[in-house]
Amino acid sequence: MNRRNFLKGVSGGLVLGGAGLALPRMALAMPVSMGPAGLPAGTLDASLLDALPGKRPLIRRTFRAPNYETPVAYLNDLYTPNDAFFVRYHVSNIPEVAAESWKLRIGGEALQNPVELTLDELKRGFERVELPALCMCAGNRRGLFQPHVPGVQWGNGAMGNARWVGVRLRDVLNKAGVRKEALEMVFDGADSGIAAYKTPDFVKSLPMWKAFDENTLIAFEMNGAALPHWNGFPARLVVPGWVGTYWVKNLMSIEVIAKPFEGFWMKPAYRIPLGKFPNVDRFITQETAVNTPITDMVVNSLITNIEEGQRVRPGQSVDVKGVAWDGGYGIRTVEVSLDEGQSWRPATLGQDLGRFSWRLWSYRFKPARRGKLTVMAKASNRIGQTQTAELILNPAGYHHNLIQKATIQVM
């Protein structure tokens, strides 16, 4: 079902997608856009509102592997509901893992004492930690790059904010004992590719300093409930401040190694031109003379409650709402412009949940004159970084943090 047919069906219940999920009228009351107008026309025409098991209808960008985007209307809250949280996979075989039989294997040449932990041993054997943090695909907004680049053509919704509960990775590693020659840590999940297509297994590595950061977690809960299957059950890696490619889902094994990892999803995938972005965190053992692994998120913001072309009346109060985030340094300000960026006015920031969480913001104004009015929003963080006025082009379409614009009609 494309957007046109979806809107025709809003007046009554209908069946969505291959899951055959019958939705009542109330479930369809929320206006849903298949994405901003800047997405490729083919992407908008082919996008479906579809429901995976356990999820409410999300925007399906690809089916194999499953990549489902959260409609922007669900991004207005402090925490993104589990059943509305975006889904990102690189491979198609994602087996259901039973909690009772699951074991996390920890080994490798640079580990002193290889161990296996059941889910119960993981939960009971280490300090329990709760951390609000944004998880965002590195390619969020890729579909808005001009010219367009290859990859999943995400709009604005390949991200979500959640309360993650788990244990510190470093506590688990300290129990096993890490040798002094350890250089990187390698993580593998239960998902795998289809053998006929020779898809590389999705395996990622972290530098030792990031693995031992107090905020890097092995998480087993999300927003007060067990992780959904599509978001990593029974346990996943949480790497706050860094893009979602490192947040390995359905975690099965950890290997501590004494040399740089050479897997496909580290080399050549998920890399950006060296020195092109203002990233602070460096993964030095994976750098080359021309590129580097993508690491921390850049400062960014999103207007979440205004549709392009939305109509308002002169003198009517207009509440602009949104979210802002960065790589863990903290949002300092969000500013709004109503005159194409000639002047900027401070928005009101919402509750600060910690430096890894996104920050809600709002701004109220009353348009005086009829005609088109462009609303712009930009965020700045506490280390002086600000959203860019010019898109930073790169081959894979990462780090899209161009200042957003939304045009309203004052009539």
Side-chain angles (χ1 to χ4, degrees):
M1 174 171 42
N2 60 25
R3 183 172 186 264
R4 185 180 298 108
N5 292 333
F6 166 73
L7 292 175
K8 287 180 181 178
V10 168
S11 60
L14 47 92
V15 175
L16 291 179
L21 176 63
L23 296 178
R25 297 174 66 178
M26 180 170 287
L28 299 174
M30 182 189 70
V32 174
S33 167
M34 293 298 110
L39 289 178
T43 296
L44 289 172
D45 289 341
S47 295
L48 308 174
L49 198 66
D50 193 10
L52 290 165
K55 292 283 188 180
R56 62 182 83 178
L58 304 177
I59 303 168
R60 191 176 82 189
R61 295 301 183 200
T62 68
F63 182 68
R64 290 179 177 264
N67 288 294
Y68 285 67
E69 182 172 334
T70 302
V72 169
Y74 292 129
L75 304 181
N76 275 303
D77 299 321
L78 282 173
Y79 297 115
T80 311
N82 288 6
D83 61 357
F85 213 89
F86 82 105
V87 175
R88 171 59 166 140
Y89 278 93
H90 298 78
V91 292
S92 300
N93 182 26
I94 307 160
E96 297 268 359
V97 179
E100 300 78 23
S101 60
W102 178 83
K103 288 186 179 181
L104 177 61
R105 298 180 299 276
I106 307 170
E109 62 191 10
L111 192 74
Q112 292 179 2
N113 303 300
V115 296
E116 284 190 350
L117 295 171
T118 66
L119 188 58
D120 186 64
E121 289 169 338
L122 188 69
K123 291 179 176 181
R124 296 178 181 274
F126 305 91
E127 180 185 358
R128 180 184 175 96
V129 178
E130 179 176 306
L131 183 70
L134 172 69
C135 179
M136 186 186 77
C137 177
N140 196 37
R141 299 186 185 174
R142 178 186 285 121
L144 302 180
F145 267 78
Q146 296 289 344
H148 295 302
V149 298
V152 179
Q153 299 298 297
W154 295 110
N156 292 305
M159 64 176 183
N161 200 51
R163 290 183 295 113
W164 308 96
V165 170
V167 300
R168 294 185 181 92
L169 175 59
R170 73 177 186 188
D171 291 347
V172 176
L173 296 172
N174 283 334
K175 182 175 182 177
V178 175
R179 298 183 185 277
K180 63 180 181 181
E181 62 268 25
L183 192 67
E184 293 184 15
M185 202 159 296
V186 180
F187 304 87
D188 193 7
D191 52 330
S192 61
I194 299 174
Y197 294 95
K198 299 181 180 179
T199 308
D201 191 14
F202 187 75
V203 184
K204 297 292 292 189
S205 70
L206 284 176
M208 294 304 299
W209 67 267
K210 189 64 175 177
F212 271 85
D213 186 282
E214 65 175 352
N215 297 299
T216 301
L217 307 180
I218 301 173
F220 40 77
E221 288 183 12
M222 175 181 175
N223 291 330
L227 292 170
H229 167 63
W230 302 106
N231 299 112
F233 183 85
R236 71 175 298 168
L237 203 61
V238 168
V239 190
W242 282 29
V243 293
T245 182
Y246 297 98
W247 296 46
V248 176
K249 297 182 290 296
N250 315 108
L251 189 62
M252 298 297 289
S253 71
I254 301 173
E255 297 287 320
V256 185
I257 61 175
K259 57 183 181 297
F261 178 61
E262 299 290 336
F264 173 83
W265 299 105
M266 292 301 302
K267 294 178 179 179
Y270 283 100
R271 303 183 79 83
I272 54 178
L274 192 63
K276 200 163 188 176
F277 292 94
N279 294 98
V280 176
D281 290 349
R282 293 179 62 188
F283 196 161
I284 295 176
T285 55
Q286 289 284 342
E287 286 186 357
T288 72
V290 295
N291 60 35
T292 184
I294 190 170
T295 55
D296 48 327
M297 293 179 283
V298 294
V299 63
N300 217 333
S301 67
L302 174 67
I303 298 171
T304 57
N305 73 323
I306 293 181
E307 282 281 331
E308 185 70 20
Q310 185 172 320
R311 297 181 180 185
V312 300
R313 298 186 304 273
Q316 174 186 345
S317 290
V318 178
D319 289 306
V320 185
K321 298 180 180 180
V323 290
W325 65 93
D326 75 338
Y329 311 104
I331 294 299
R332 179 174 55 86
T333 61
V334 174
E335 299 170 287
V336 173
S337 175
L338 303 176
D339 55 12
E340 297 287 348
Q342 297 181 54
S343 63
W344 294 89
R345 304 167 189 175
T348 300
L349 293 179
Q351 182 181 357
D352 187 352
L353 295 174
R355 61 193 182 98
F356 297 113
S357 169
W358 66 23
R359 194 90 181 261
L360 301 185
W361 58 267
S362 62
Y363 181 80
R364 174 173 291 182
F365 72 97
K366 294 182 178 181
R369 293 189 291 270
R370 299 179 188 275
K372 289 185 179 180
L373 179 64
T374 300
V375 181
M376 302 172 63
K378 69 175 180 181
S380 300
N381 66 10
R382 291 171 182 158
I383 61 172
Q385 297 174 339
T386 300
Q387 280 182 258
T388 180
E390 294 185 9
L391 189 61
I392 302 176
L393 299 176
N394 62 99
Y398 296 143
H399 283 330
H400 186 300
N401 72 329
L402 191 66
I403 294 171
Q404 186 190 5
K405 296 182 180 181
T407 302
I408 62 176
Q409 298 281 352
V410 185
M411 307 180 70

